[in-house]
Amino acid sequence: MRLLGALLLVIALTTGAPPAAADPRWEFYTDDTTRYGSPWFHGRHRIMIPFGCTRAPYYSPDPRCRRNRGFHHGIDLAMKCGTPLTAGRRGWVVGTQGLGPAYGSKVLRIRNFTHDWDVVIGHARRVLVEPGDRVLAGQRIARAGANAAPDGCHLHFEKRAIRGGLSTAGRPRPLLDLRARR
Ligand SMILES: [Zn+2]
């Protein structure tokens, strides 16, 4: 009996706390395993698909990319469903007409005239603000989801020109302000 007790203790110690629940649908198309923080979301999360040409199979072949690869117009960060998203900078919430169904039905577009950008946030589970609202830095604006995304809950963060279409999407990373520490 003493042996059984010791065995149970060993099992309890080695299994430990359950690992953080990963979404089984996540597929990572980058070697970067760093968990980043950002003023745009709570917690620290891994990049799933970077901006630009990618071997991720979800995008049509793009003339800018070699080997028939597609072009990802934003940056995707894998995060648990429901993770709070916050406004990293102040701005105005504007309408989402013309974005198309690929971003999901809960999509958010924020405009900052001073710094000359629109931000598009896709695949949210919930959007907490409405067109016409002013948002302040740090304000909760949405919750991450997998709305219209085949690859699990994540944040799709895209930077565009003011009122710009998809072709104006540019490198989102400086605005996303990813921080590897703290
Ligand atoms: Zn994306």
Side-chain angles (χ1 to χ4, degrees):
M1 284 310 284
R2 198 176 293 166
L3 185 64
L4 182 63
L7 190 64
L8 288 174
L9 182 65
V10 167
I11 289 169
L13 288 174
T14 49
T15 43
D23 194 318
R25 298 168 292 180
W26 287 340
E27 294 281 354
F28 294 86
Y29 293 93
T30 171
D31 295 332
D32 185 357
T33 58
T34 311
R35 291 176 171 272
Y36 292 102
S38 160
W40 293 88
F41 51 76
H42 283 207
R44 291 153 62 88
H45 309 284
R46 276 186 65 185
I47 295 171
M48 191 157 71
I49 307 177
F51 171 82
C53 295
T54 177
R55 60 190 165 84
Y58 318 114
Y59 318 103
S60 325
D62 189 288
R64 287 169 285 188
C65 308
R66 296 176 303 160
R67 283 180 264 168
N68 267 359
R69 288 182 174 183
F71 194 93
H72 186 217
H73 292 85
I75 183 170
D76 286 358
L77 284 113
M79 54 186 74
K80 265 171 59 181
C81 307
T83 300
L85 305 179
T86 47
R89 301 279 186 279
R90 76 168 92 176
W92 295 94
V93 182
V94 297
T96 56
Q97 309 88 310
L99 285 174
Y103 297 86
S105 57
K106 306 278 169 55
V107 59
L108 181 57
R109 186 165 187 156
I110 298 175
R111 181 161 295 157
N112 184 309
F113 287 106
T114 312
H115 297 289
D116 198 27
W117 49 251
D118 279 8
V119 159
V120 175
I121 286 172
H123 311 304
R125 166 195 274 184
R126 261 188 86 194
V127 169
L128 307 170
V129 290
E130 296 182 342
D133 287 353
R134 181 177 182 223
V135 293
L136 299 172
Q139 184 178 336
R140 283 198 194 197
I141 50 176
R143 286 186 177 276
N147 199 319
D151 51 346
C153 285
H154 69 276
L155 163 65
H156 172 93
F157 183 95
E158 189 174 307
K159 183 191 167 200
R160 292 189 181 190
I162 286 184
R163 297 189 189 88
L166 192 62
S167 64
T168 71
R171 285 182 61 243
R173 201 155 160 169
L175 181 57
L176 187 57
D177 197 8
L178 294 180
R179 296 161 187 188
R181 280 175 296 165
R182 262 178 293 232

